[in-house]
Amino acid sequence: MSDRLNIGILGTRLIDWGGGVDLLRIVLGAFHEKSIDRKIRLTLFLPCIKTEVSRQTHFHRGLSALLSRRPVQGLREVYWQIRKVNPHRIARDKILSVLGQSGAKFDIRCYTHEAELLRLIERHAIKVIIPSYQNLGKNFPVPWIGYLPDLQHKRLPELFSPDECISRDEQFLSVLQSATAMVVTSQAVKRDIETFYPGMASQIFVWPFTPYPFKEWFDESDTNVVNKYDLPARYFLISSQFWRHKSHITAIEALALLRGHPGYSDVKLVCTGATDDYRHPGYFAELQCRIADLGLTDAIMILGHIPKRDQIEIMKKSVGLIQPTLFEGTQGGLAVYDAVGLGIRAIVSDIRVNLEIQNPLVTFFHAGSIQDLACKLLCILGEEPPKVDKIYQLQLARSRIALLGNVLIDAVDTAIKDFRYKIHAVAIPKQPDNI
């Protein structure tokens, strides 16, 4: 058992948003793929808030029922641990998506403060922590690999308040200066770190474009989304939060041009995702006004935040996904991961990070160009939809996740090696030259 690699997956902060949960799922899947070659044991550490069980009865019954219907591999003492989690802090569907569908075998341990996390790390003989969105400090007892999502506050500072820019700078610097190694989701983020924080980071590992769909996504859902959401016959989909940098307005204006062409007046746009942008509270209202001005009120369906499985079914029935974003830290954003993983076409802005994608399902348009996007939408509508082969797509997913597994294992091995070297260097002081 001495050669077993005990890896701690830190869910702090990542578990609190949908994209972070998907990232954790992909990380778990990548290590699961590598467990074929190496003895790896995974422990997922989640922040929790102790609450009265009586306040969580419905939450726990639902979780217990699901686990009893569909066994989850490798989980020990899960139910007892999850009882400590505040369901208002961590949504049930997010936890279940990580628990039941990552494909990995892992333990879950919840902690309420750093001292408890340290005790759990020691108890489970954890050799390394990955990924950490927070600064665990230079004196953390095991090597830890930091994670930064993007440097949007550097590239688009106008979208942040001065205080937010300062806060992000402080946090990012502390992680870069303390982490044994770093992992990021694109070459663009790595370049930005090297540009804005030169010499601050230890070795940076970049994971490749890694669409990794659930097997269940290829099957028909129990929910008839066409009836549930009254979906039109032909539509494009945007699955992004209504934040200003996501540039929904580009797609809205392009749809107006598209519908002006003969034979395309029936094409609509379906949007899923939260409609609030805390940095620009009036932005969604501005979009609604513009939609009305263009006469598109009946042509654009805004569904808001909906269950993930419903979103996937809506994506599968669409003509294609539109990703008009002006900034991302991950190639295409995770909605493009979902589309490509399912064999669905995606029309994506040609910002630097997106150009890292090399896939025939992805069509690029000039970021912010209404005319170019409308032209690309016309082209897509004139083509035969791609035929989806479930077996082929899952084989592709496995090859991609294997590549990511190689990157993460390299990061882990490097962090452990560098950490041991640092400990050894501190333990053995340099001898004077005259000895």
Side-chain angles (χ1 to χ4, degrees):
M1 297 299 287
S2 59
D3 60 344
R4 186 175 66 187
L5 181 58
N6 294 338
I7 300 175
I9 309 296
L10 190 60
T12 306
R13 297 191 64 177
L14 291 173
I15 201 74
D16 291 331
W17 55 288
V21 173
D22 278 336
L23 288 175
L24 285 174
R25 173 178 66 87
I26 293 170
V27 168
L28 288 166
F31 281 125
H32 172 65
E33 187 66 26
K34 294 306 296 180
S35 66
I36 297 172
D37 306 319
R38 296 182 62 168
K39 294 180 180 179
I40 295 175
R41 179 170 181 171
L42 301 173
T43 302
L44 175 63
F45 294 106
L46 298 178
C48 65
I49 301 174
K50 292 183 178 179
T51 57
E52 294 296 330
V53 174
S54 60
R55 294 174 54 196
Q56 304 178 57
T57 303
H58 178 73
F59 171 72
H60 294 133
R61 285 177 179 170
L63 179 60
S64 179
L66 182 135
L67 293 179
S68 64
R69 291 198 309 270
R70 183 176 58 194
V72 182
Q73 294 181 324
L75 296 182
R76 290 175 277 279
E77 302 177 37
V78 172
Y79 180 68
W80 182 86
Q81 294 291 343
I82 293 299
R83 286 181 64 193
K84 297 168 63 180
V85 179
N86 185 335
H88 300 291
R89 173 72 179 275
I90 305 174
R92 189 181 81 176
D93 61 340
K94 292 181 181 179
I95 293 177
L96 297 184
S97 71
V98 175
L99 289 180
Q101 302 184 50
S102 70
K105 298 179 180 180
F106 58 94
D107 293 326
I108 288 184
R109 293 293 179 265
C110 296
Y111 69 95
T112 56
H113 46 76
E114 184 177 350
E116 187 174 7
L117 174 62
L118 293 174
R119 286 196 296 271
L120 290 170
I121 286 172
E122 182 179 8
R123 183 184 306 164
H124 296 280
I126 300 299
K127 302 300 182 184
V128 64
I129 292 288
I130 180 175
S132 181
Y133 198 168
Q134 67 185 98
N135 177 23
L136 298 179
K138 293 182 179 180
N139 297 320
F140 204 71
V142 298
W144 59 277
I145 298 168
Y147 161 75
L148 297 181
D150 60 58
L151 270 66
Q152 186 183 149
H153 71 293
K154 291 294 191 182
R155 292 294 182 185
L156 299 174
E158 66 274 12
L159 298 182
F160 296 82
S161 70
D163 286 345
E164 280 183 303
C165 288
I166 293 172
S167 176
R168 284 171 67 96
D169 259 344
E170 291 175 348
Q171 180 207 341
F172 287 12
L173 270 171
S174 69
V175 172
L176 290 168
Q177 292 172 338
S178 299
T180 314
M182 294 293 301
V183 62
V184 295
T185 54
S186 65
Q187 291 288 345
V189 175
K190 179 181 179 181
R191 284 193 295 267
D192 280 351
I193 289 174
E194 293 169 343
T195 298
F196 294 107
Y197 306 108
M200 294 293 182
S202 51
Q203 190 164 348
I204 301 174
F205 294 84
V206 182
W207 71 21
F209 182 59
T210 315
Y212 187 55
F214 294 146
K215 294 179 182 178
E216 293 85 350
W217 287 357
F218 292 93
D219 303 325
E220 281 295 320
S221 169
D222 294 336
T223 303
N224 185 330
V225 294
V226 173
N227 292 339
K228 181 176 179 178
Y229 297 101
D230 193 23
L231 297 177
R234 290 198 297 179
Y235 62 90
F236 289 94
L237 173 68
I238 296 180
S239 286
S240 297
Q241 291 177 302
F242 280 81
W243 288 22
R244 189 179 293 275
H245 74 276
K246 296 295 186 180
S247 196
H248 286 75
I249 188 61
T250 302
I252 291 168
E253 300 273 3
L255 181 69
L257 289 180
L258 172 68
R259 285 168 60 91
H261 288 262
Y264 296 99
S265 60
D266 66 311
V267 180
K268 296 187 177 183
L269 178 64
V270 176
C271 302
T272 67
T275 58
D276 57 314
D277 183 348
Y278 75 94
R279 295 177 296 192
H280 302 278
Y283 177 61
F284 183 65
E286 293 174 13
L287 285 180
Q288 288 180 306
C289 289
R290 185 56 182 156
I291 290 169
D293 291 342
L294 292 169
L296 296 176
T297 302
D298 294 331
I300 296 179
M301 302 176 62
I302 299 175
L303 306 182
H305 183 71
I306 63 175
K308 180 71 174 184
R309 193 65 174 87
D310 288 2
Q311 176 213 339
I312 292 300
E313 284 302 303
I314 293 171
M315 184 180 291
K316 286 162 59 177
K317 298 180 187 307
S318 70
V319 177
L321 177 79
I322 303 175
Q323 177 56 290
T325 184
L326 300 178
F327 191 91
E328 293 294 328
T330 303
Q331 308 100 330
L334 292 178
V336 176
Y337 268 49
D338 293 343
V340 172
L342 288 165
I344 296 167
R345 293 171 295 194
I347 306 92
V348 180
S349 59
D350 64 351
I351 58 177
R352 184 178 59 174
V353 64
N354 290 347
L355 292 176
E356 295 178 26
I357 303 171
Q358 296 181 0
N359 192 284
L361 290 169
V362 175
T363 298
F364 295 104
F365 75 95
H366 300 312
S369 172
I370 299 164
Q371 292 77 13
D372 192 38
L373 177 54
C375 179
K376 298 297 167 57
L377 297 181
L378 277 170
C379 291
I380 294 294
L381 285 163
E383 299 173 354
E384 287 291 323
K387 294 182 180 179
V388 178
D389 183 328
K390 174 182 176 178
I391 302 301
Y392 176 68
Q393 290 300 129
L394 290 175
Q395 288 174 342
L396 282 178
R398 186 168 182 181
S399 65
R400 292 170 184 140
I401 206 69
L403 290 175
L404 175 59
N406 291 337
V407 171
L408 296 182
I409 285 294
D410 284 348
V412 163
D413 287 343
T414 298
I416 292 174
K417 180 180 177 181
D418 290 352
F419 185 79
R420 287 172 178 167
Y421 175 81
K422 181 181 72 173
I423 296 298
H424 182 75
V426 171
I428 304 178
K430 183 178 178 181
Q431 298 296 322
D433 295 338
N434 59 354
I435 293 180

